[in-house]
Amino acid sequence: MKKLICLFLCMGLSLTASNVLGQDSLFSPPVNYGTGRGPYSVCSADFDGDSDNDLAVINTGDSGSDSTVSILLNNGDGTFIPAVNYDVGAVPVSVYSADLDGDSDIDLVTANVHSDNVSMLFNNGDGTFSSAIHYGIDDNPMSVFAIDLDGDGDNDLAVANTSDDVSILLNNDDGTFASAVNYEAGNGPYSIYSADLDGDSDNDLAVANRYSDDISILLNNGDGSFQSPVHYGAGNHPSSIYSADLDGDSDNDLAVTNRYSWNVYILFNNGDGTFGPVRIYRVGNYPRSVFSVDLDNDYDNDLAVVNYAAGNISILLNNGDGSFQEPVNFEAGNHPISVYCTDIDGDSDNDLAVANYWGHNVSILLNNTVQTSVDPEIYIPCKIEILQNYPNPFNATTTISFDLMQKGSTELSVYNLAGQKVETLVDEKMEAGQHNITWDASTYSSGVYFYKLTANNKTQTKRMTLMK
């Protein structure tokens, strides 16, 4: 029987699958929670240290007044307590969560378009936050991203400004920041994302420019300084950009929403930070935000796109090669403008949090994917294989699965971008079969990591992204 199971799997027929009740039932109807007025951006992380993911939503307020960030703490089951609001700069339009001061809890940074600054809110360790500290940058900041840019292990800031440049603020290792250094981008930078695009183990920049209808790629010199931008056409008024491995070749591709042409552009990485073939997928009316993560538990990255004028979310499931199925739309709130995907209810699949601008609330859509698995007593793989971690990107914890065809010494280790081993997860003899190992990365900085499996004189490596 075991040999039959092995043969069945070698023929490409999987006995471990994600059972979905039809694509149109992938997510439950939205449940709404009140925020401040004019919510514009949402992110999620464990703010109060209880191992579930909470929400941070920035609110533009009325004509520059009542500009706040709403914190909604999770009850542990995907429901939330009423929002607590904190003041930030004038008209915040982007929020990002990361450990900024090195104390292992998750802080917040917002980009404030009317006050031309970013606001830092430091976590007290329990999901409450100190008063905002502001850093001035260039005109009209629209998007902020926190990640290690200079390779020193702390999270720096990259800010897209509609004044045609990008501001870089390097962390002094204590949550204070050096003065901004500006780099040219395209016309009207509107959204920014940072990831290793050219495979040299540092984090580069991808910027969506809404007025020049293109994206700018700024490659990192390794020290947090950047080369001159290279531009690629990206549709009509690109409004949001996200980077993930979409075609399964272990480099980071790009997904860009175009709000006036109602589509999403996919730009595939050539492996060296240049981008070649483009695929275009029609979505809903006025797409404003895109997020890429595995939504159907098949170990590839799918797309979630919010459509501002249509009032819904388009889900595009990946075929595994970077091509996508036709979008399936799910109702959201009143003029959805931002989406974040993470496990909200603790069942190990990725749910959706959507900020609704005119609804003055955030919608939670829980994922209905059901994971089934093969009885380990009969599942004997016919090869050694390490699978993509799930979820990916992840916040704090992720699961790494791998197959062993025979008993033997096994090592599973995690490395940072510099090639340094940061943690050994497994170092022992293991039985044949499928194994699932959880990595708790709560004490590590956001960024790209590699996990390497060594077993039976064979080695396999994959990349994962920690986003706090």
Side-chain angles (χ1 to χ4, degrees), residues 64-111:
S65 63
D66 301 323
S67 295
T68 60
V69 57
S70 295
I71 303 300
L72 295 87
L73 297 181
N74 197 328
N75 292 316
D77 58 358
T79 65
F80 293 85
I81 66 173
V84 177
N85 295 331
Y86 296 85
D87 292 333
V88 292
V91 189
V93 289
S94 177
V95 63
Y96 202 89
S97 58
D99 181 9
L100 299 175
D101 55 1
D103 63 354
S104 299
D105 54 35
I106 306 302
D107 310 301
L108 295 172
V109 57
T110 69

Side-chain angles (χ1 to χ4, degrees), residues 34 135 203 264 446:
Y135 286 83
N203 289 307
V264 57
S446 298

Side-chain angles (χ1 to χ4, degrees), residues 293-300 343 347-351 367 369 371 387-394 397-401 437 451 464:
V293 73
D294 185 9
L295 296 173
D296 55 357
N297 285 0
D298 63 353
Y299 301 103
D300 53 34
D343 183 12
D347 63 353
S348 298
D349 54 32
N350 285 305
D351 310 299
N367 196 325
T369 304
Q371 184 73 32
L387 304 176
Q388 188 63 52
N389 64 301
Y390 183 84
N392 185 51
F394 66 98
T397 61
T398 189
T399 299
I400 300 170
S401 299
I437 306 297
Y451 53 100
M464 57 185 168

Side-chain angles (χ1 to χ4, degrees), residues 8-220:
F8 187 78
L9 292 169
C10 288
M11 292 172 62
L13 303 174
S14 176
L15 290 181
T16 301
S18 301
N19 294 333
V20 183
L21 305 175
Q23 288 188 33
D24 58 353
S25 301
L26 183 58
F27 291 94
S28 298
V31 177
N32 297 328
Y33 295 86
T35 59
R37 294 192 63 80
Y40 209 89
S41 177
V42 59
C43 69
S44 180
D46 182 10
F47 296 127
D48 55 359
D50 62 354
S51 300
D52 53 37
N53 287 312
D54 311 301
L55 300 177
V57 184
I58 49 106
N59 310 296
T60 56
D62 294 316
S63 301
S65 63
D66 301 323
S67 295
T68 60
V69 57
S70 295
I71 303 300
L72 295 87
L73 297 181
N74 197 328
N75 292 316
D77 58 358
T79 65
F80 293 85
I81 66 173
V84 177
N85 295 331
Y86 296 85
D87 292 333
V88 292
V91 189
V93 289
S94 177
V95 63
Y96 202 89
S97 58
D99 181 9
L100 299 175
D101 55 1
D103 63 354
S104 299
D105 54 35
I106 306 302
D107 310 301
L108 295 172
V109 57
T110 69
N112 311 305
V113 67
H114 279 193
S115 51
D116 295 335
N117 59 17
V118 293
S119 299
M120 315 285 180
L121 293 89
F122 293 103
N123 196 329
N124 296 317
D126 58 358
T128 65
F129 292 83
S130 60
S131 297
I133 298 172
H134 310 292
Y135 286 83
I137 51 175
D138 213 344
D139 294 339
N140 302 320
M142 285 301 302
S143 178
V144 62
F145 200 99
I147 199 169
D148 185 10
L149 296 173
D150 55 359
D152 63 354
D154 54 33
N155 287 308
D156 310 299
L157 301 179
V159 185
N161 310 299
T162 55
S163 51
D164 298 347
D165 59 19
V166 170
S167 294
I168 302 299
L169 294 83
L170 296 181
N171 197 326
N172 295 319
D173 199 31
D174 58 0
T176 64
F177 290 81
S179 298
V181 177
N182 296 328
Y183 294 87
E184 176 189 356
N187 188 356
Y190 203 78
S191 177
I192 192 166
Y193 199 97
S194 182
D196 181 13
L197 299 176
D198 56 357
D200 62 354
S201 301
D202 53 36
N203 289 307
D204 310 299
L205 302 177
V207 183
N209 307 301
R210 65 172 175 172
Y211 297 134
S212 50
D213 294 338
D214 60 14
I215 62 167
S216 300
I217 303 299
L218 292 84
L219 297 181
N220 197 329

